[in-house]
Amino acid sequence: MTEILPGTQIPSRNLVDTQADLYIDNFRKIMRSARLNSQYPDGRALAEHAGVFSSQVHRGLYKGLEIDERTGLPTYKEWTRAQTDITLAAKQIVSLGSRSAMVTKAAQHPDSAHSRNLARYDYYTEINGTQMAPLGSMNVVVRRVDRDRRLAHFHVVLDKLDASGVFVRYSIDLAQQGDAAVASVDGRDLASQSDNFHALIYQFTSLDAEFMFVKLASMAGLQVERVIKGTVGPFFLDWMQAPAGLEISPDGFVATFGLDMAAVDVEATRNNDPLAPATDEKTRATYAQVASKLGYRVFKDRKFVCPHAMVANVRAFAETRGTRNVVYGV
Amino acid sequence: MVYKSEFLEQTVTYSGDAISVRSLEELIGGERLRQNEQVDELTRMHQRNSDLQSALVQEMDRLRQLSQELQKSRQGQRNKLADMFTWLPWVKSSATTRRSIEDLLRRQFEMSSMRLREAADFADRLDASKIDLYDEIDRLNRKIIESAHNEETAAARVLELRDAKVEVEGELLLAEPSTSHERELSAKLDRIRRLLAEHTTKLKLYSTAEDRLAALKKNTRQLVETIAHLQSDITRYVTAASEKLDLVAGQIQAIGAAADAANVVLELKQSLDAMTESLNLTTQFVVETQAYFRDNVDTMIDDLDLYDEETELALSRNLAFNESFDELDVEHALTSALASQIDALEEFDDEVEFHIPEEVKST
């Protein structure tokens, strides 16, 4: 396919028929088994959103499912397709009209626009009101306001399907002194987030929690307490390039869920993520200096979900990387 | 040949419902009503098609403009990227709003996808309407054929009755008046006249029905042709737009992130420049102060015994200097951390060959 800018085309593979349905079944099982808390992207919403991709739901209206080869997750195009259909469902059901008339016409004209419209009607009816995983949204909530010190404490949550292809949730606790860098607070202590702050967080989602902590702490008037980055993905499938030492059995998968935390209340800096990118010593030393001054510590972790038969392999892989991780079997 | 009573009692079977002036008017009225509804539906569809097409054209044009401006930005040319998002309802103004380009591109893409889905669904509705209208033509054709058959049946009966009437009239002329035979022939003639009137009316009604239904069918055929054109137009456009969106979909995030990365690099560079400048000034200040301390440290220590105001002042000054040196350490560490991240971003930047325009760098 033509590239608008060199290097921007996402490598993808199209799963069709039973392959696509098997993928969705596994995806939903994985999300149920992963036991994600509020620091991760909403697992239930992701599972529901992905359910729209099942051929039993879309009744053959779409051909296959495009998977991002970097992450093993459906591509942005697919998530947007489901989001569009869920958003339009109620309106389209009304415009399609009476189902009983469609049933009669579809019986008279199998394999025609009438049968497609009937399938579409049933599809829209089934997905209407389905919970969606946010592809890019930020919520700022005021935790408390100290009017004497002109200090407002916020809890910020940004959910995003990141450009790297994984789902990210950034949860940030910080205090803002004076001007509205993060958000403005009205008389009822409701926060109205600033565009600049939204853009700032949005742009840095591919970077780690520590960078986000330092970046925010360097902004005048902000006191950062905690930055947590929870990720869903990558999922390594049997046809994908897995990290060295991690073997994926035929028809198997290894789903990963990262947690990266920089906070003043973390007891000790520790890296328990076997997939965390290596940091060179110089950068590490620089970060250590900054961490010491700003008083935060970093904790990185990752949990895994894979078929029962692969659990031992995944644990062994973690051990070779010097970590001990939670591995759930499905 | 003398027509027997059996001939007159023969039942002529017409297909379909019994026809009368009233039933014909009702039939044609019903068909007209149905056609008027179809015309109304077509008018609505025409309007909807026009709305959808113009919305889709607008969305595609915006994506095209975005692509062009991104290309210009990449080539370091002057571009209007920052102004391009004011068309989004949630963007206040380009001057007051600083937003992530990735975010904006994605919102634009999601909006375009919505329009495309509506248009694609609409194309299927047009297709379904086309099928309905073809069904309608089939139904009208069946009625027309039925009317034509009935017309032929009625015509044949009328001819038979006319022949019978001529023959009975001839016989009647020869019959002895006031005889029972004459009376029978007279009764037969009345019966023939009655049947002739009935079947002649039917003949006229079926002939009228056939012509009027044929006229209605012509209108319906025009409707179906109009809808077919509409459907063909929108399908062509939807297909092209869908290809365009497919092309964009796989790249939009990376393009947005690349554009943002350029901004991020630029911002970090600016903040680094500012930090370096203040660092230089602070360093000079510290160096000069330390030189002063070194020159005067002996005197200061001697003076410590005095514990006078002058000593306290010197101590607090010293503390202030130490604090500023600590701050300097933090600033330095922050600078290094940010520089590492810039390195990482610049690597990404190189990968996508996204260059920061020189004139932007210098601002």
Side-chain angles (χ1 to χ4, degrees), chain B residues 176-203:
Chain B
E176 191 73 26
S178 302
T179 61
S180 63
H181 180 62
E182 191 261 358
R183 296 294 182 204
E184 274 174 20
L185 286 171
S186 177
K188 195 181 272 183
L189 190 61
D190 285 342
R191 177 86 180 131
I192 288 170
R193 281 191 187 119
R194 178 185 167 177
L195 288 171
L196 199 56
E198 272 177 29
H199 289 284
T200 306
T201 305
K202 279 198 166 82
L203 175 66

PDB file of all heavy atoms in Angstrom, chain B residues 176-203:
ATOM      1  N   GLU B 176     -93.275 -16.541 -35.386  1.00  0.00           N
ATOM      2  CA  GLU B 176     -94.683 -16.156 -35.307  1.00  0.00           C
ATOM      3  C   GLU B 176     -94.878 -15.293 -34.061  1.00  0.00           C
ATOM      4  O   GLU B 176     -94.534 -15.717 -32.959  1.00  0.00           O
ATOM      5  CB  GLU B 176     -95.518 -17.437 -35.162  1.00  0.00           C
ATOM      6  CG  GLU B 176     -96.997 -17.263 -35.320  1.00  0.00           C
ATOM      7  CD  GLU B 176     -97.444 -17.015 -36.747  1.00  0.00           C
ATOM      8  OE1 GLU B 176     -96.742 -17.444 -37.700  1.00  0.00           O
ATOM      9  OE2 GLU B 176     -98.463 -16.351 -36.906  1.00  0.00           O
ATOM     10  N   PRO B 177     -95.415 -14.040 -34.260  1.00  0.00           N
ATOM     11  CA  PRO B 177     -95.573 -13.185 -33.084  1.00  0.00           C
ATOM     12  C   PRO B 177     -96.491 -13.813 -32.020  1.00  0.00           C
ATOM     13  O   PRO B 177     -97.372 -14.587 -32.345  1.00  0.00           O
ATOM     14  CB  PRO B 177     -96.188 -11.911 -33.632  1.00  0.00           C
ATOM     15  CG  PRO B 177     -96.015 -11.968 -35.110  1.00  0.00           C
ATOM     16  CD  PRO B 177     -95.926 -13.389 -35.503  1.00  0.00           C
ATOM     17  N   SER B 178     -96.167 -13.494 -30.814  1.00  0.00           N
ATOM     18  CA  SER B 178     -96.950 -13.888 -29.625  1.00  0.00           C
ATOM     19  C   SER B 178     -96.978 -15.393 -29.384  1.00  0.00           C
ATOM     20  O   SER B 178     -97.741 -15.880 -28.553  1.00  0.00           O
ATOM     21  CB  SER B 178     -98.400 -13.363 -29.712  1.00  0.00           C
ATOM     22  OG  SER B 178     -98.372 -11.964 -29.830  1.00  0.00           O
ATOM     23  N   THR B 179     -96.179 -16.104 -30.126  1.00  0.00           N
ATOM     24  CA  THR B 179     -96.067 -17.533 -29.829  1.00  0.00           C
ATOM     25  C   THR B 179     -95.058 -17.721 -28.711  1.00  0.00           C
ATOM     26  O   THR B 179     -94.259 -16.824 -28.404  1.00  0.00           O
ATOM     27  CB  THR B 179     -95.604 -18.335 -31.069  1.00  0.00           C
ATOM     28  OG1 THR B 179     -94.306 -17.843 -31.431  1.00  0.00           O
ATOM     29  CG2 THR B 179     -96.588 -18.215 -32.208  1.00  0.00           C
ATOM     30  N   SER B 180     -95.114 -18.920 -28.134  1.00  0.00           N
ATOM     31  CA  SER B 180     -94.155 -19.170 -27.041  1.00  0.00           C
ATOM     32  C   SER B 180     -92.720 -19.125 -27.568  1.00  0.00           C
ATOM     33  O   SER B 180     -91.793 -18.657 -26.887  1.00  0.00           O
ATOM     34  CB  SER B 180     -94.439 -20.527 -26.392  1.00  0.00           C
ATOM     35  OG  SER B 180     -94.249 -21.558 -27.345  1.00  0.00           O
ATOM     36  N   HIS B 181     -92.526 -19.567 -28.875  1.00  0.00           N
ATOM     37  CA  HIS B 181     -91.181 -19.532 -29.452  1.00  0.00           C
ATOM     38  C   HIS B 181     -90.665 -18.093 -29.565  1.00  0.00           C
ATOM     39  O   HIS B 181     -89.514 -17.789 -29.221  1.00  0.00           O
ATOM     40  CB  HIS B 181     -91.227 -20.212 -30.836  1.00  0.00           C
ATOM     41  CG  HIS B 181     -89.897 -20.228 -31.521  1.00  0.00           C
ATOM     42  ND1 HIS B 181     -88.794 -20.881 -30.996  1.00  0.00           N
ATOM     43  CD2 HIS B 181     -89.464 -19.702 -32.702  1.00  0.00           C
ATOM     44  CE1 HIS B 181     -87.767 -20.735 -31.804  1.00  0.00           C
ATOM     45  NE2 HIS B 181     -88.158 -20.005 -32.870  1.00  0.00           N
ATOM     46  N   GLU B 182     -91.586 -17.233 -30.045  1.00  0.00           N
ATOM     47  CA  GLU B 182     -91.200 -15.808 -30.185  1.00  0.00           C
ATOM     48  C   GLU B 182     -90.834 -15.222 -28.817  1.00  0.00           C
ATOM     49  O   GLU B 182     -89.890 -14.473 -28.671  1.00  0.00           O
ATOM     50  CB  GLU B 182     -92.360 -15.066 -30.856  1.00  0.00           C
ATOM     51  CG  GLU B 182     -92.033 -13.657 -31.297  1.00  0.00           C
ATOM     52  CD  GLU B 182     -92.500 -12.565 -30.323  1.00  0.00           C
ATOM     53  OE1 GLU B 182     -93.133 -12.889 -29.286  1.00  0.00           O
ATOM     54  OE2 GLU B 182     -92.180 -11.398 -30.570  1.00  0.00           O
ATOM     55  N   ARG B 183     -91.650 -15.603 -27.784  1.00  0.00           N
ATOM     56  CA  ARG B 183     -91.389 -15.092 -26.433  1.00  0.00           C
ATOM     57  C   ARG B 183     -90.037 -15.590 -25.911  1.00  0.00           C
ATOM     58  O   ARG B 183     -89.277 -14.853 -25.283  1.00  0.00           O
ATOM     59  CB  ARG B 183     -92.491 -15.544 -25.460  1.00  0.00           C
ATOM     60  CG  ARG B 183     -93.866 -15.005 -25.780  1.00  0.00           C
ATOM     61  CD  ARG B 183     -93.955 -13.498 -25.610  1.00  0.00           C
ATOM     62  NE  ARG B 183     -95.289 -13.008 -25.879  1.00  0.00           N
ATOM     63  CZ  ARG B 183     -95.585 -11.776 -26.255  1.00  0.00           C
ATOM     64  NH1 ARG B 183     -94.612 -10.891 -26.449  1.00  0.00           N
ATOM     65  NH2 ARG B 183     -96.829 -11.401 -26.457  1.00  0.00           N
ATOM     66  N   GLU B 184     -89.738 -16.847 -26.201  1.00  0.00           N
ATOM     67  CA  GLU B 184     -88.453 -17.417 -25.747  1.00  0.00           C
ATOM     68  C   GLU B 184     -87.270 -16.708 -26.399  1.00  0.00           C
ATOM     69  O   GLU B 184     -86.278 -16.365 -25.742  1.00  0.00           O
ATOM     70  CB  GLU B 184     -88.388 -18.914 -26.090  1.00  0.00           C
ATOM     71  CG  GLU B 184     -89.008 -19.789 -25.038  1.00  0.00           C
ATOM     72  CD  GLU B 184     -89.068 -21.241 -25.466  1.00  0.00           C
ATOM     73  OE1 GLU B 184     -88.311 -21.637 -26.388  1.00  0.00           O
ATOM     74  OE2 GLU B 184     -89.865 -21.980 -24.892  1.00  0.00           O
ATOM     75  N   LEU B 185     -87.449 -16.463 -27.751  1.00  0.00           N
ATOM     76  CA  LEU B 185     -86.363 -15.770 -28.468  1.00  0.00           C
ATOM     77  C   LEU B 185     -86.177 -14.353 -27.927  1.00  0.00           C
ATOM     78  O   LEU B 185     -85.047 -13.867 -27.776  1.00  0.00           O
ATOM     79  CB  LEU B 185     -86.655 -15.716 -29.970  1.00  0.00           C
ATOM     80  CG  LEU B 185     -86.477 -17.037 -30.738  1.00  0.00           C
ATOM     81  CD1 LEU B 185     -87.004 -16.905 -32.166  1.00  0.00           C
ATOM     82  CD2 LEU B 185     -84.994 -17.445 -30.764  1.00  0.00           C
ATOM     83  N   SER B 186     -87.296 -13.710 -27.633  1.00  0.00           N
ATOM     84  CA  SER B 186     -87.235 -12.346 -27.100  1.00  0.00           C
ATOM     85  C   SER B 186     -86.512 -12.321 -25.740  1.00  0.00           C
ATOM     86  O   SER B 186     -85.669 -11.451 -25.463  1.00  0.00           O
ATOM     87  CB  SER B 186     -88.664 -11.807 -26.978  1.00  0.00           C
ATOM     88  OG  SER B 186     -88.639 -10.546 -26.402  1.00  0.00           O
ATOM     89  N   ALA B 187     -86.845 -13.322 -24.908  1.00  0.00           N
ATOM     90  CA  ALA B 187     -86.186 -13.400 -23.583  1.00  0.00           C
ATOM     91  C   ALA B 187     -84.691 -13.656 -23.754  1.00  0.00           C
ATOM     92  O   ALA B 187     -83.840 -13.063 -23.067  1.00  0.00           O
ATOM     93  CB  ALA B 187     -86.818 -14.524 -22.763  1.00  0.00           C
ATOM     94  N   LYS B 188     -84.376 -14.553 -24.747  1.00  0.00           N
ATOM     95  CA  LYS B 188     -82.958 -14.862 -24.991  1.00  0.00           C
ATOM     96  C   LYS B 188     -82.213 -13.600 -25.440  1.00  0.00           C
ATOM     97  O   LYS B 188     -81.092 -13.318 -25.001  1.00  0.00           O
ATOM     98  CB  LYS B 188     -82.886 -15.945 -26.059  1.00  0.00           C
ATOM     99  CG  LYS B 188     -81.529 -16.616 -26.164  1.00  0.00           C
ATOM    100  CD  LYS B 188     -81.515 -17.656 -27.249  1.00  0.00           C
ATOM    101  CE  LYS B 188     -81.972 -18.999 -26.729  1.00  0.00           C
ATOM    102  NZ  LYS B 188     -81.896 -20.058 -27.760  1.00  0.00           N
ATOM    103  N   LEU B 189     -82.895 -12.815 -26.292  1.00  0.00           N
ATOM    104  CA  LEU B 189     -82.256 -11.581 -26.778  1.00  0.00           C
ATOM    105  C   LEU B 189     -81.976 -10.601 -25.633  1.00  0.00           C
ATOM    106  O   LEU B 189     -80.904  -9.977 -25.562  1.00  0.00           O
ATOM    107  CB  LEU B 189     -83.166 -10.925 -27.838  1.00  0.00           C
ATOM    108  CG  LEU B 189     -82.562  -9.776 -28.621  1.00  0.00           C
ATOM    109  CD1 LEU B 189     -81.324 -10.228 -29.412  1.00  0.00           C
ATOM    110  CD2 LEU B 189     -83.582  -9.176 -29.594  1.00  0.00           C
ATOM    111  N   ASP B 190     -82.944 -10.500 -24.717  1.00  0.00           N
ATOM    112  CA  ASP B 190     -82.743  -9.615 -23.550  1.00  0.00           C
ATOM    113  C   ASP B 190     -81.552 -10.093 -22.719  1.00  0.00           C
ATOM    114  O   ASP B 190     -80.740  -9.293 -22.245  1.00  0.00           O
ATOM    115  CB  ASP B 190     -83.998  -9.596 -22.671  1.00  0.00           C
ATOM    116  CG  ASP B 190     -85.111  -8.759 -23.293  1.00  0.00           C
ATOM    117  OD1 ASP B 190     -84.762  -7.948 -24.185  1.00  0.00           O
ATOM    118  OD2 ASP B 190     -86.275  -8.921 -22.908  1.00  0.00           O
ATOM    119  N   ARG B 191     -81.513 -11.389 -22.549  1.00  0.00           N
ATOM    120  CA  ARG B 191     -80.400 -11.976 -21.767  1.00  0.00           C
ATOM    121  C   ARG B 191     -79.069 -11.677 -22.452  1.00  0.00           C
ATOM    122  O   ARG B 191     -78.090 -11.296 -21.785  1.00  0.00           O
ATOM    123  CB  ARG B 191     -80.648 -13.491 -21.669  1.00  0.00           C
ATOM    124  CG  ARG B 191     -79.573 -14.253 -20.962  1.00  0.00           C
ATOM    125  CD  ARG B 191     -79.827 -14.254 -19.471  1.00  0.00           C
ATOM    126  NE  ARG B 191     -78.789 -14.983 -18.777  1.00  0.00           N
ATOM    127  CZ  ARG B 191     -78.130 -14.552 -17.739  1.00  0.00           C
ATOM    128  NH1 ARG B 191     -78.405 -13.375 -17.226  1.00  0.00           N
ATOM    129  NH2 ARG B 191     -77.215 -15.283 -17.165  1.00  0.00           N
ATOM    130  N   ILE B 192     -79.053 -11.812 -23.815  1.00  0.00           N
ATOM    131  CA  ILE B 192     -77.820 -11.535 -24.564  1.00  0.00           C
ATOM    132  C   ILE B 192     -77.435 -10.062 -24.420  1.00  0.00           C
ATOM    133  O   ILE B 192     -76.274  -9.724 -24.192  1.00  0.00           O
ATOM    134  CB  ILE B 192     -77.999 -11.910 -26.063  1.00  0.00           C
ATOM    135  CG1 ILE B 192     -78.036 -13.441 -26.196  1.00  0.00           C
ATOM    136  CG2 ILE B 192     -76.859 -11.351 -26.918  1.00  0.00           C
ATOM    137  CD1 ILE B 192     -78.440 -13.933 -27.584  1.00  0.00           C
ATOM    138  N   ARG B 193     -78.423  -9.192 -24.519  1.00  0.00           N
ATOM    139  CA  ARG B 193     -78.145  -7.744 -24.379  1.00  0.00           C
ATOM    140  C   ARG B 193     -77.518  -7.447 -23.014  1.00  0.00           C
ATOM    141  O   ARG B 193     -76.579  -6.671 -22.896  1.00  0.00           O
ATOM    142  CB  ARG B 193     -79.444  -6.943 -24.551  1.00  0.00           C
ATOM    143  CG  ARG B 193     -79.850  -6.779 -25.999  1.00  0.00           C
ATOM    144  CD  ARG B 193     -80.984  -5.755 -26.101  1.00  0.00           C
ATOM    145  NE  ARG B 193     -81.490  -5.696 -27.454  1.00  0.00           N
ATOM    146  CZ  ARG B 193     -82.742  -5.980 -27.797  1.00  0.00           C
ATOM    147  NH1 ARG B 193     -83.631  -6.333 -26.888  1.00  0.00           N
ATOM    148  NH2 ARG B 193     -83.139  -5.889 -29.046  1.00  0.00           N
ATOM    149  N   ARG B 194     -78.105  -8.053 -21.987  1.00  0.00           N
ATOM    150  CA  ARG B 194     -77.603  -7.826 -20.624  1.00  0.00           C
ATOM    151  C   ARG B 194     -76.145  -8.286 -20.510  1.00  0.00           C
ATOM    152  O   ARG B 194     -75.282  -7.570 -20.005  1.00  0.00           O
ATOM    153  CB  ARG B 194     -78.482  -8.596 -19.636  1.00  0.00           C
ATOM    154  CG  ARG B 194     -78.020  -8.456 -18.226  1.00  0.00           C
ATOM    155  CD  ARG B 194     -78.840  -9.314 -17.311  1.00  0.00           C
ATOM    156  NE  ARG B 194     -78.189  -9.399 -16.012  1.00  0.00           N
ATOM    157  CZ  ARG B 194     -78.693 -10.040 -14.987  1.00  0.00           C
ATOM    158  NH1 ARG B 194     -79.841 -10.665 -15.106  1.00  0.00           N
ATOM    159  NH2 ARG B 194     -78.064 -10.069 -13.848  1.00  0.00           N
ATOM    160  N   LEU B 195     -75.902  -9.512 -21.011  1.00  0.00           N
ATOM    161  CA  LEU B 195     -74.527 -10.055 -20.927  1.00  0.00           C
ATOM    162  C   LEU B 195     -73.560  -9.210 -21.756  1.00  0.00           C
ATOM    163  O   LEU B 195     -72.418  -8.957 -21.358  1.00  0.00           O
ATOM    164  CB  LEU B 195     -74.496 -11.499 -21.418  1.00  0.00           C
ATOM    165  CG  LEU B 195     -75.132 -12.531 -20.478  1.00  0.00           C
ATOM    166  CD1 LEU B 195     -75.235 -13.894 -21.152  1.00  0.00           C
ATOM    167  CD2 LEU B 195     -74.309 -12.660 -19.192  1.00  0.00           C
ATOM    168  N   LEU B 196     -74.065  -8.771 -22.910  1.00  0.00           N
ATOM    169  CA  LEU B 196     -73.232  -7.943 -23.779  1.00  0.00           C
ATOM    170  C   LEU B 196     -72.830  -6.644 -23.068  1.00  0.00           C
ATOM    171  O   LEU B 196     -71.673  -6.225 -23.117  1.00  0.00           O
ATOM    172  CB  LEU B 196     -74.021  -7.634 -25.064  1.00  0.00           C
ATOM    173  CG  LEU B 196     -73.229  -7.191 -26.278  1.00  0.00           C
ATOM    174  CD1 LEU B 196     -72.156  -8.198 -26.650  1.00  0.00           C
ATOM    175  CD2 LEU B 196     -74.157  -6.984 -27.482  1.00  0.00           C
ATOM    176  N   ALA B 197     -73.813  -6.056 -22.383  1.00  0.00           N
ATOM    177  CA  ALA B 197     -73.523  -4.817 -21.644  1.00  0.00           C
ATOM    178  C   ALA B 197     -72.478  -5.083 -20.553  1.00  0.00           C
ATOM    179  O   ALA B 197     -71.507  -4.329 -20.389  1.00  0.00           O
ATOM    180  CB  ALA B 197     -74.811  -4.272 -21.033  1.00  0.00           C
ATOM    181  N   GLU B 198     -72.675  -6.193 -19.841  1.00  0.00           N
ATOM    182  CA  GLU B 198     -71.738  -6.531 -18.742  1.00  0.00           C
ATOM    183  C   GLU B 198     -70.319  -6.724 -19.271  1.00  0.00           C
ATOM    184  O   GLU B 198     -69.356  -6.148 -18.758  1.00  0.00           O
ATOM    185  CB  GLU B 198     -72.177  -7.835 -18.061  1.00  0.00           C
ATOM    186  CG  GLU B 198     -73.157  -7.638 -16.938  1.00  0.00           C
ATOM    187  CD  GLU B 198     -73.600  -8.975 -16.347  1.00  0.00           C
ATOM    188  OE1 GLU B 198     -72.812  -9.946 -16.399  1.00  0.00           O
ATOM    189  OE2 GLU B 198     -74.730  -9.032 -15.830  1.00  0.00           O
ATOM    190  N   HIS B 199     -70.206  -7.537 -20.311  1.00  0.00           N
ATOM    191  CA  HIS B 199     -68.861  -7.879 -20.797  1.00  0.00           C
ATOM    192  C   HIS B 199     -68.219  -6.730 -21.581  1.00  0.00           C
ATOM    193  O   HIS B 199     -66.996  -6.597 -21.582  1.00  0.00           O
ATOM    194  CB  HIS B 199     -68.902  -9.173 -21.610  1.00  0.00           C
ATOM    195  CG  HIS B 199     -69.150 -10.374 -20.738  1.00  0.00           C
ATOM    196  ND1 HIS B 199     -68.185 -10.918 -19.935  1.00  0.00           N
ATOM    197  CD2 HIS B 199     -70.287 -11.098 -20.507  1.00  0.00           C
ATOM    198  CE1 HIS B 199     -68.696 -11.936 -19.253  1.00  0.00           C
ATOM    199  NE2 HIS B 199     -70.001 -12.055 -19.583  1.00  0.00           N
ATOM    200  N   THR B 200     -69.055  -5.892 -22.201  1.00  0.00           N
ATOM    201  CA  THR B 200     -68.503  -4.716 -22.881  1.00  0.00           C
ATOM    202  C   THR B 200     -67.894  -3.768 -21.834  1.00  0.00           C
ATOM    203  O   THR B 200     -66.809  -3.214 -22.034  1.00  0.00           O
ATOM    204  CB  THR B 200     -69.605  -3.981 -23.684  1.00  0.00           C
ATOM    205  OG1 THR B 200     -70.216  -4.926 -24.551  1.00  0.00           O
ATOM    206  CG2 THR B 200     -69.042  -2.842 -24.493  1.00  0.00           C
ATOM    207  N   THR B 201     -68.602  -3.609 -20.728  1.00  0.00           N
ATOM    208  CA  THR B 201     -68.071  -2.761 -19.643  1.00  0.00           C
ATOM    209  C   THR B 201     -66.736  -3.333 -19.147  1.00  0.00           C
ATOM    210  O   THR B 201     -65.756  -2.608 -18.965  1.00  0.00           O
ATOM    211  CB  THR B 201     -69.082  -2.705 -18.476  1.00  0.00           C
ATOM    212  OG1 THR B 201     -70.321  -2.264 -18.981  1.00  0.00           O
ATOM    213  CG2 THR B 201     -68.606  -1.775 -17.378  1.00  0.00           C
ATOM    214  N   LYS B 202     -66.742  -4.656 -18.937  1.00  0.00           N
ATOM    215  CA  LYS B 202     -65.502  -5.303 -18.463  1.00  0.00           C
ATOM    216  C   LYS B 202     -64.382  -5.087 -19.463  1.00  0.00           C
ATOM    217  O   LYS B 202     -63.241  -4.796 -19.096  1.00  0.00           O
ATOM    218  CB  LYS B 202     -65.743  -6.797 -18.255  1.00  0.00           C
ATOM    219  CG  LYS B 202     -66.427  -7.114 -16.926  1.00  0.00           C
ATOM    220  CD  LYS B 202     -66.237  -8.566 -16.573  1.00  0.00           C
ATOM    221  CE  LYS B 202     -66.591  -8.837 -15.133  1.00  0.00           C
ATOM    222  NZ  LYS B 202     -68.002  -9.016 -14.855  1.00  0.00           N
ATOM    223  N   LEU B 203     -64.730  -5.225 -20.744  1.00  0.00           N
ATOM    224  CA  LEU B 203     -63.717  -5.044 -21.786  1.00  0.00           C
ATOM    225  C   LEU B 203     -63.099  -3.652 -21.686  1.00  0.00           C
ATOM    226  O   LEU B 203     -61.884  -3.484 -21.719  1.00  0.00           O
ATOM    227  CB  LEU B 203     -64.379  -5.253 -23.161  1.00  0.00           C
ATOM    228  CG  LEU B 203     -63.506  -4.989 -24.376  1.00  0.00           C
ATOM    229  CD1 LEU B 203     -62.362  -5.991 -24.469  1.00  0.00           C
ATOM    230  CD2 LEU B 203     -64.339  -5.060 -25.668  1.00  0.00           C
TER     231      LEU B 203
END
